[in-house]
Amino acid sequence: MSEVTAKGKAAKKASYQLIGLSTEKKNEALGKIAKQLIIDKDFLIKENQKDLEDGRKKGLSESILDRIMLNVNRIDDMAAAIMLLIELNDPIGERLETIEKENGLLIKKQRVPIGVIGMIYEARPNVTIDAATLSLKTGNAVILRGSSSAKYSNIALVSSIHKALENTEIPVEAVQLIEDTSRETAKELFHLNEYLDVLIPRGGKNLIETVIKESTVPVLETGAGNCHIFIDQTADITMVEKIVLNGKTQRPSVCNAIEGLLIHEKWFEENGVRILELLDEKGIELYGDEAVCSSFPRAKTATEEDWSTEYLALKLSVKTVKGVSDAIDHINRYGSKHSEAILTMDEQNAHTFLNKVDAAAVYHNASTRFTDGFEFGYGAEIGISTQKLHARGPMGLPALTSSKYFIYGQGQIRE
């Protein structure tokens, strides 16, 4: 029996043991995981250094290395996120609907665990903790398959989780890590229908598209982040400077950072060079249309590919547009349906933009960097869904549940 099949079988068995486990027991286990991360901090950082050293030898970019890196603050943040998760309401057992039939049948629709969740992801070892703890809080078992770039970090983190679970009501097998990061194990996971109830990819565009195309297990799609800010004609220059810089530079390697800047041509005539100079001063490579390159020679000419690229680095495509409709058309053509923002003092334009842009999260006069489970009050997140079925946007606890009908009778039969 292969590693994937063996761990799938063990996870399925564990998922049945999780059914009916009280919120108190689940929270107790989560608290022990948070404490164990702090206890194992030095070991986790040591193992993470192996991944960083391997990554540098392989020539990984600084943005990817930043995603992989664990330090004292990041481990503290992971533990803090778990403690916040403990405080959140447990959705399992929540009554969604009650129907009382004339014949006396009582029908109750309630939230229940999905069962076994498969998680395939790249680079970020914090996803290991997010996926495991969110799954356990909702009574799900989870099979994790990270990338080779964070192999040592993921093994160490799951080791900490297992140590924490040893003295709890939750079986250790409820959290499984596929340690073999070869393509073969990924493909096997794609077809593990006997044991997996859903597969969630989290990573770059290529990974997500591969999972969607090849998996026979139902996929809960998370999307890449080709996000934009549209500067409308009435946008306040001070607000623009603050929000655009935050959206691009606060953490360029994440999916809710902006990759495209659309500027109303009238606003550009008055303020365009100023904002481009500001971006250039921050070390951002600019790729622009003809108007941008004519006004700012340091900008490179944007190609068709640039408009749809998720750079995850200090690079930004910049285009002038005639107005809100032009901006919406561009975003709906090239965007990844993740997060989009309009900066404007015109309420009607804001209303039009927010309603007509096809994205999971839309912003008026605020940075796209807020599209995050923690910022939305969900604690840790399993990912940000850009699809429209089951879940959309940052996915917290409710996204990891299904529903079930409980029907109570007193001998009724259907005539």
Side-chain angles (χ1 to χ4, degrees):
M1 186 182 295
S2 71
E3 177 194 7
V4 175
T5 300
K7 291 187 173 179
K9 186 175 182 179
K12 177 62 78 173
K13 182 179 178 181
S15 72
Y16 293 134
Q17 294 174 260
L18 291 172
I19 295 173
L21 200 63
S22 69
T23 301
E24 290 72 24
K25 294 294 185 182
K26 291 187 287 187
N27 285 342
E28 178 186 352
L30 292 175
K32 289 187 177 183
I33 293 173
K35 290 178 183 177
Q36 195 67 47
L37 292 178
I38 302 302
I39 293 169
D40 293 344
K41 194 180 296 183
D42 291 341
F43 172 67
L44 296 173
I45 292 173
K46 178 183 175 183
E47 293 301 294
N48 179 251
Q49 284 299 316
K50 295 179 182 179
D51 289 321
L52 293 175
E53 289 169 12
D54 284 351
R56 292 187 185 100
K57 289 177 184 177
K58 293 174 182 176
L60 296 183
S61 69
E62 285 302 317
S63 63
I64 294 177
L65 291 173
D66 177 65
R67 288 182 169 208
I68 296 170
M69 184 184 68
L70 292 179
N71 55 29
V72 171
N73 289 337
R74 290 188 179 181
I75 294 171
D76 285 343
D77 286 345
M78 286 192 292
I82 296 172
M83 298 311 293
L84 176 60
L85 186 59
I86 290 171
E87 297 300 317
L88 296 178
N89 290 332
D90 183 353
I92 300 303
E94 178 188 349
R95 187 78 52 78
L96 299 174
E97 190 176 3
T98 300
I99 302 169
E100 295 185 36
K101 300 292 290 182
E102 291 180 0
N103 64 0
L105 275 182
L106 179 61
I107 304 170
K108 297 179 181 179
K109 183 180 181 182
Q110 294 180 193
R111 288 194 188 276
V112 296
I114 289 175
V116 181
I117 294 168
M119 190 80 190
I120 182 165
Y121 52 104
E122 295 174 326
R124 295 183 189 174
N126 67 289
V127 174
T128 300
I129 297 299
D130 291 349
T133 55
L134 280 163
S135 296
L136 295 180
K137 177 82 176 191
T138 47
N140 294 293
V142 64
I143 299 176
L144 305 164
R145 198 278 191 183
S147 62
S148 59
S149 61
K151 178 178 179 179
Y152 296 107
S153 304
N154 290 334
I155 292 173
L157 287 166
V158 171
S159 173
S160 291
I161 292 171
H162 285 173
K163 279 189 283 185
L165 293 180
E166 284 175 356
N167 298 311
T168 72
E169 297 285 331
I170 293 178
V172 169
E173 293 79 12
V175 179
Q176 301 277 353
L177 175 70
I178 307 300
E179 296 184 12
D180 181 349
T181 58
S182 66
R183 291 180 181 271
E184 287 69 30
T185 61
K187 290 181 179 179
E188 192 174 352
L189 201 62
F190 295 164
H191 304 289
L192 204 65
N193 296 65
E194 184 177 357
Y195 302 117
L196 276 185
D197 293 291
V198 67
L199 185 58
I200 304 174
R202 183 168 173 180
K205 182 179 180 181
N206 289 340
L207 169 70
I208 294 164
E209 289 182 348
T210 298
V211 174
I212 292 169
K213 289 177 182 177
E214 297 189 16
S215 177
T216 55
V217 175
V219 175
L220 184 52
E221 180 183 346
T222 62
N226 184 23
C227 307
H228 301 78
I229 287 177
F230 166 49
I231 304 172
D232 195 19
Q233 184 176 355
T234 60
D236 175 74
I237 181 64
T238 303
M239 182 185 293
V240 166
E241 292 177 357
K242 182 172 65 172
I243 292 176
V244 169
L245 286 180
N246 179 261
K248 183 70 253 183
T249 68
Q250 198 252 350
R251 198 173 174 194
S253 64
V254 294
C255 61
N256 56 21
I258 63 165
E259 308 291 14
L261 184 63
L262 305 175
I263 307 176
H264 193 290
E265 58 188 13
K266 295 284 179 57
W267 195 95
F268 185 81
E269 289 174 8
E270 298 178 11
N271 305 294
V273 173
R274 176 177 168 180
I275 194 69
L276 295 176
E277 287 177 345
L278 185 61
L279 291 166
D280 183 65
E281 288 170 6
K282 297 296 182 180
I284 299 167
E285 292 182 39
L286 301 173
Y287 298 82
D289 63 6
E290 183 179 347
V292 169
C293 293
S294 296
S295 301
F296 195 75
R298 285 177 59 82
K300 301 172 184 176
T301 301
T303 64
E304 182 72 12
E305 184 180 1
D306 283 307
W307 302 132
S308 56
T309 296
E310 182 186 27
Y311 296 115
L312 300 174
L314 289 176
K315 298 180 179 181
L316 186 68
S317 66
V318 186
K319 183 180 182 181
T320 56
V321 294
K322 296 183 182 301
V324 66
S325 294
D326 202 7
I328 292 168
D329 289 344
H330 179 93
I331 291 170
N332 286 345
R333 177 177 179 183
Y334 296 105
S336 59
K337 307 185 190 307
H338 192 295
S339 301
E340 308 292 348
I342 181 173
L343 307 184
T344 185
M345 295 302 169
D346 187 315
E347 293 293 333
Q348 183 57 51
N349 282 354
H351 177 81
T352 299
F353 183 93
L354 298 181
N355 281 281
K356 292 194 174 184
V357 161
D358 187 8
V362 287
Y363 292 82
H364 177 202
N365 291 345
S367 172
T368 58
R369 286 285 289 113
F370 288 105
T371 307
D372 175 87
F374 186 84
E375 292 291 343
F376 281 22
Y378 297 147
E381 68 181 23
I382 201 77
I384 296 172
S385 170
T386 54
Q387 66 183 35
K388 297 180 181 179
L389 296 179
H390 179 71
R392 196 179 195 195
M395 294 187 289
L397 297 173
L400 296 183
T401 67
S402 183
S403 60
K404 186 175 184 178
Y405 288 94
F406 295 76
I407 300 97
Y408 303 89
Q410 303 89 32
Q412 290 92 336
I413 62 171
R414 185 167 181 176
E415 299 294 341

